[in-house]
Amino acid sequence: MSIDIVISDNADEAGKLIADEIATVIRRKPNAVIGVATGSSPLPIYRALADKVSSGLNATEVSWFALDEYLGLPPRSEQSYRYFLERHLIAPLGLDPKRLHVPDPSDADPDRAAQRYETEILQAQVDLQILGIGRNGHIGFNEPGTPFSIPTHRASLSETTRKANARFFHDSSEVPRECLTQGLGTIMRARRIELIATGPTKADAIARATAPPADPKCPASILQRHNSVRFVLDPLAAAKLT
Ligand code: F6R
């Protein structure tokens, strides 16, 4: 088991490579289950995928499962991950929003919402999971120190992550402190995993994630134990690989 690493010329090329992989999965299995990340990194993937749909790829039968969702935002908030995925994935691909599954932040009992999502995603069985990576090595919102076996759960965002995500909010005090996230154990059950990382702020996390041994201090390092995983990087994110 080892991580396949591909270094593309730039973020757009990295996005195209992963969109190619998604298209291959969908052509092979039109009702595939695909796990999707939010944030800046996957945007080139979703743009390239929209181009493929314009050129005839049929993605209407795919089920899409979000990695995570904030807790504590107002309903229909534009900062929610449901809104993000509807805007950057579902609408450009012309898909029915009912195909998108997101952990439910409106449940009065977030632990129950997490358990329900875990059951739903395990029953669906993810064929391909798309990931970004945080500067501190998080995947989903599994921050450093999270146990490797954890299922979907309610989690707290680290201060590093709240600072990094403040760019999406009018004021940094509005960044939620909690979320629901697929756990590391959940992510590891996907049949295949593709991680995209671009830019210099990801170089340390990529170096740590790929250096054995896998260690919960860098949550993404658990991916060393998966049998079908690829990191698609730009030269800046790959700069500290040894
Ligand atoms: C997003 C997610 C996070 C991001 C990570 C990187 O759904 O779960 O792990 O992938 O924080 O975010 P960007 O791509 O904005 O740097």
Side-chain angles (χ1 to χ4, degrees):
M1 278 182 261
S2 68
I3 297 174
D4 260 354
I5 295 179
V6 174
I7 303 174
S8 299
D9 290 347
N10 54 51
D12 282 340
E13 293 306 316
K16 281 184 198 155
L17 275 184
I18 297 186
D20 284 346
E21 175 75 15
I22 297 175
T24 303
V25 170
I26 298 176
R27 284 196 195 98
R28 204 182 306 135
K29 184 178 174 190
N31 64 347
V33 177
I34 300 184
V36 278
T38 63
S40 306
S41 311
L43 291 175
I45 306 176
Y46 303 148
R47 283 197 292 269
L49 202 54
D51 289 344
K52 288 183 184 297
V53 166
S54 309
S55 318
L57 176 72
N58 180 358
T60 54
E61 289 176 50
V62 174
S63 296
W64 308 89
F65 278 81
L67 257 180
D68 39 21
E69 179 58 287
Y70 287 123
L71 285 173
L73 290 176
R76 299 303 304 161
S77 163
E78 292 189 8
Q79 277 77 30
S80 75
Y81 283 173
R82 174 175 286 282
Y83 181 90
F84 178 99
L85 288 166
E86 284 180 357
R87 173 164 173 217
H88 294 289
L89 176 74
I90 299 296
L93 269 63
L95 303 176
D96 182 346
K98 290 202 188 88
R99 308 299 306 181
L100 175 66
H101 304 256
V102 183
D104 179 9
S106 69
D107 194 313
D109 181 348
D111 296 318
R112 182 177 59 194
Q115 255 175 28
R116 216 172 36 240
Y117 197 66
E118 177 76 2
T119 305
E120 204 186 344
I121 201 163
L122 292 190
Q123 275 171 0
Q125 172 64 72
V126 173
D127 292 294
L128 172 62
Q129 175 66 54
I130 307 304
L131 295 175
I133 185 170
R135 297 166 195 211
N136 61 6
H138 72 223
I139 49 175
F141 276 130
N142 295 277
E143 299 284 23
T146 305
F148 274 173
S149 57
I150 200 163
T152 301
H153 61 286
R154 174 186 195 167
S156 297
L157 274 59
S158 69
E159 278 313 303
T160 326
T161 301
R162 290 188 70 239
K163 260 192 213 138
N165 289 7
R167 67 191 192 281
F168 295 113
F169 291 81
H170 302 298
D171 186 289
S172 56
S173 65
E174 291 171 15
V175 185
R177 294 179 183 281
E178 286 194 302
C179 64
L180 295 170
T181 182
Q182 283 190 40
L184 295 170
T186 323
I187 292 169
M188 287 294 280
R189 286 175 188 253
R191 290 199 170 97
R192 174 156 178 86
I193 297 177
E194 295 261 322
L195 182 148
I196 184 166
T198 53
T201 59
K202 302 297 170 68
D204 281 319
I206 290 298
R208 291 174 62 217
T210 49
D215 183 332
K217 285 190 204 128
C218 178
S221 67
I222 192 179
L223 300 173
Q224 294 172 27
R225 299 184 182 168
H226 198 280
N227 60 14
S228 183
V229 57
R230 179 169 75 155
F231 282 15
V232 182
L233 312 172
D234 72 352
L236 293 167
K240 295 192 177 168
L241 285 176
T242 42

